[in-house]
């Protein structure tokens, strides 16, 4: 007899439409299935929506509460989900999310599916009819503390509502999701070139230092993205924003080059990122969420600048799909990922080198502006008003020094940015070719 039948035998029936379970025993059972992070149950719901082929998912934060909604065919009823949640067998994303969400740290959780509602709290587990369509979940969590450092780097709205862990989990892992995510009323920035791939700031120092002069001048953008055809005997990804495009100029957090469309689904997404501290990494994706990452140890030569030995701050970010058999019991780590990463890198080395060479040819057209598109318009209007005002007061000769100074600064910044990106791509090419040669010598 499974766990749900045991608990039902101890339940007090209220009427034919609802029943209660021993809540203490139920929550003790669910505590065994906690995910490794407090916000990851929400990532599992995103994965469930992708697995059920939902057209999108809505996530809304309230004070100490999170609600989730998506429409999909083939959803089990809430009562069937309860049986699977309380059972000991391994199940899919939806059941895993409910198990983790309904554990000991949750004050109450209710879900609606198939015309049935299940509600669990500290006193009871109850089932009743529901008029909600699709899948709906509402979970309330007790107030949680964050370290002083992380609290200072957290959005005030999420800090006040005690939903920071949930927001960060979705933002940091679901930027690869193939379906739209409406997160707290706003669309999540999805795509293999999404700015969220570059991570969130978790300390007040990191938040403040992004505006420090030497760091603000570093390029922060996706230099290029290519989505290659499906790989043999490997799971695939959905193509996103797959069309040839070159942005001139490219703003901060933007994308310079998109490769031509190569079909859907795709075997991998190859991206070249530029931001402070950027390394070389493979991200492993399962059903629209990054479940694990692996840092590639490429022997990339440092650039040679006058009297300095700087880092590149430009690196590869390669994105591959994995299947459920390749993740461990935590569901957020890949088994033997060093071996898998090496194997996948070797599989895509030819199209990767072609991609790098294609980006390198277009670098002379790279015109990077170190601010967002909105800020650039405000800056241009401000400079235009200042210049016209000065010319009106002093005379037309006022325009000459302003133009020379602005042009000189812009040209120096543009040249420096192009040089950084060019040297980085050349160094990455050389590292990949050297590894290819060394493997060839070993086989001989």
């Amino acid at each position: 007899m499974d766990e749900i039948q045991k608990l039902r035998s101890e339940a007090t029936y209220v009427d034919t439409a609802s029943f209660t379970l021993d809540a203490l025993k139920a929550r003790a059972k669910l505590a065994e299935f906690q995910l490794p992070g407090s916000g990851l149950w929400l990532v599992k719901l995103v994965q469930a929506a992708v697995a059920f082929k939902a057209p999108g998912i809505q996530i809304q934060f309230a004070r100490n509460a999170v609600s989730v909604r998506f429409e999909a065919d083939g959803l089990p009823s809430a009562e069937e989900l309860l049986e699977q949640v309380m059972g000991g067998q391994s199940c899919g994303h939806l059941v895993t999310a409910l198990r983790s969400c309904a554990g000991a740290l949750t004050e109450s959780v209710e879900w609606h599916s198939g015309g049935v509602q299940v509600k669990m709290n500290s006193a009871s587990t109850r089932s009743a009819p529901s008029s909600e369509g699709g899948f709906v979940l509402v979970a309330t969590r007790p107030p949680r503390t964050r370290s002083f450092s992380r609290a200072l780097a957290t959005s005030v709205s999420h800090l006040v509502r005690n939903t920071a862990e949930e927001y960060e989990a979705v933002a940091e892992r679901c930027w690869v999701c193939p379906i739209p995510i409406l997160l707290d009323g706003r669309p999540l920035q999805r795509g293999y070139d999404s700015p969220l791939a570059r991570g969130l700031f978790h300390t007040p120092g990191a938040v403040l230092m992004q505006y420090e002069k030497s760091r603000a001048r570093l390029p922060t953008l996706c230099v290029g993205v290519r989505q290659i055809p499906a790989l043999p005997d490997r799971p695939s990804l959905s193509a996103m924003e797959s069309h040839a495009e070159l942005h001139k100029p490219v703003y901060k957090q933007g994308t310079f080059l998109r490769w031509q469309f190569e079909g859907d689904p795709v075997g991998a997404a190859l991206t070249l990122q530029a931001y402070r501290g950027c390394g070389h990494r493979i991200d492993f994706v399962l059903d629209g969420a990054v479940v694990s990452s692996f840092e590639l140890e490429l022997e990339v030569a440092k650039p040679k600048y006058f009297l300095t030995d700087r880092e590149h701050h430009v690196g590869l970010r390669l994105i591959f799909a994995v299947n459920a058999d390749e993740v461990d019991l935590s569901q957020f780590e890949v088994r033997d990922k060093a071996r898998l990463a090496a194997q996948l890198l070797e599989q895509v080395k030819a199209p990767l080198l072609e991609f790098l060479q294609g980006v390198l040819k277009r670098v002379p057209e790279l015109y990077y502006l170190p601010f967002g598109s909105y800020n650039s318009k405000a800056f241009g209007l401000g400079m235009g008003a200042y210049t016209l005002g000065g010319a009106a007061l002093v005379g037309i000769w006022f325009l000459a020094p302003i133009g020379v100074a602005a042009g000189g600064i812009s040209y120096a910044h543009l040249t420096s940015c192009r040089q950084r990106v060019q040297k980085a791509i050349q160094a990455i090419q050389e590292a990949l070719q050297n590894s290819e040669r060394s493997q060839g010598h070993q086989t001989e």
Side-chain angles (χ1 to χ4, degrees):
M1 185 183 295
D2 63 17
E3 189 68 24
I4 188 65
Q5 296 301 326
K6 289 180 185 177
L7 292 170
R8 273 182 169 174
S9 66
E10 301 168 6
T12 303
Y13 279 83
V14 179
D15 53 47
T16 56
S18 63
F19 60 89
T20 61
L21 302 177
D22 185 322
L24 222 63
K25 289 186 178 181
R27 289 162 74 82
K29 176 71 176 176
L30 293 173
E32 301 172 11
F33 299 100
Q34 291 294 305
L35 291 169
S38 62
L40 293 178
W41 65 271
L42 197 50
V43 175
K44 297 303 292 182
L45 285 180
V46 173
Q47 291 180 296
V50 173
F52 276 104
K53 302 187 186 308
I57 182 170
Q58 299 176 36
I59 301 170
Q60 191 69 40
F61 297 119
R63 185 165 180 82
N64 298 331
V66 182
S67 62
V68 181
R69 179 187 297 270
F70 63 85
E71 302 282 343
D73 296 327
L75 285 166
S77 74
E79 212 168 34
E80 292 172 333
L81 286 170
L82 178 61
E83 293 187 14
Q84 295 178 45
V85 164
M86 298 307 302
Q89 69 273 24
S90 174
C91 294
H93 301 305
L94 188 53
V95 172
T96 301
L98 295 176
R99 280 175 176 169
S100 184
C101 177
L105 296 179
T106 302
E107 289 181 338
S108 70
V109 59
E110 65 178 85
W111 62 86
H112 305 250
S113 184
V116 182
Q117 172 199 13
V118 167
K119 184 169 184 177
M120 303 181 73
N121 56 32
S122 58
S124 65
T125 301
R126 194 174 296 272
S127 173
S130 170
S131 59
E132 294 281 0
F135 177 84
V136 179
L137 177 140
V138 180
T140 61
R141 315 297 297 273
R144 289 163 290 176
T145 58
R146 285 167 75 80
S147 68
F148 182 69
S149 176
R150 293 201 70 171
L152 289 177
T154 301
S155 161
V156 173
S157 64
H158 292 296
L159 193 62
V160 168
R161 291 179 291 179
N162 283 290
T163 54
E165 282 84 357
E166 283 80 7
Y167 171 81
E168 289 175 357
V170 174
E172 291 183 326
R173 292 181 179 271
C174 298
W175 48 272
V176 292
C177 185
I179 65 173
I181 301 175
L182 199 63
L183 188 60
D184 217 14
R186 297 182 178 181
L188 187 75
Q189 291 180 284
R190 300 174 300 111
Y192 302 124
D193 56 341
S194 168
L196 291 173
R198 297 184 268 282
L200 303 176
F201 294 117
H202 292 295
T203 66
V207 173
L208 293 174
M209 287 303 289
Q210 65 176 315
Y211 303 107
E212 189 268 330
K213 187 175 180 181
S214 65
R215 299 190 184 192
R217 289 179 176 176
L218 287 175
T220 303
L221 75 155
C222 176
V223 182
V225 56
R226 178 184 185 182
Q227 300 175 67
I228 64 173
L231 300 172
D233 303 319
R234 290 298 309 166
S236 57
L237 300 164
S238 296
M240 291 195 286
E241 289 289 330
S242 189
H243 57 274
E245 191 174 24
L246 187 73
H247 285 108
K248 296 188 293 184
V250 57
Y251 300 109
K252 186 175 182 179
Q253 304 289 11
T255 299
F256 172 55
L257 173 68
R258 296 184 193 276
W259 205 262
Q260 65 266 23
F261 178 70
E262 295 190 76
D264 187 10
V266 299
L270 316 178
T271 78
L272 190 63
Q273 300 282 347
Y275 59 93
R276 180 171 175 79
C278 179
H280 311 286
R281 182 190 303 179
I282 287 181
D283 294 310
F284 298 104
V285 175
L286 175 62
D287 289 333
V290 176
V291 293
S292 184
S293 298
F294 181 79
E295 299 295 331
L296 294 170
E297 297 181 359
L298 293 180
E299 295 182 4
V300 176
K302 290 185 178 181
K304 301 296 183 183
Y305 294 105
F306 181 64
L307 298 179
T308 63
D309 190 16
R310 300 175 185 172
E311 297 291 341
H312 280 293
H313 301 294
V314 177
L316 294 175
R317 289 290 295 272
L318 312 180
I319 304 161
F320 294 91
V322 293
N323 57 48
D325 294 335
E326 292 175 311
V327 298
D328 66 9
L329 291 176
S330 75
Q331 302 190 36
F332 285 95
E333 189 55 271
V334 173
R335 296 188 181 98
D336 199 9
K337 64 180 179 181
R339 178 198 58 79
L340 180 59
Q343 173 190 324
L344 293 174
L345 179 61
E346 195 59 34
Q347 276 188 273
V348 302
K349 190 170 286 186
L352 178 56
L353 286 169
E354 181 187 21
F355 167 62
L356 292 175
Q357 186 60 34
V359 176
L360 193 60
K361 288 180 180 178
R362 306 306 294 266
V363 167
E365 300 175 70
L366 175 61
Y367 182 16
Y368 171 73
L369 297 178
F371 30 66
S373 58
Y374 177 81
N375 292 336
S376 70
K377 293 174 184 176
F379 177 78
L381 288 172
M383 283 300 295
Y386 172 76
T387 303
L388 289 174
L393 291 172
V394 181
I396 197 69
W397 61 267
F398 178 81
L399 298 176
I402 292 294
V404 171
I409 293 171
S410 299
Y411 181 75
H413 174 77
L414 177 61
T415 303
S416 173
C417 173
R418 287 175 176 170
Q419 186 183 40
R420 287 177 186 274
V421 173
Q422 183 182 50
K423 285 181 177 292
I425 296 175
Q426 291 170 340
I428 293 169
Q429 279 183 314
E430 186 177 350
L432 291 171
Q433 289 164 348
N434 287 344
S435 67
E436 204 170 39
R437 293 190 198 101
S438 62
Q439 288 177 358
H441 288 316
Q442 289 173 3
T443 54
E444 291 175 5

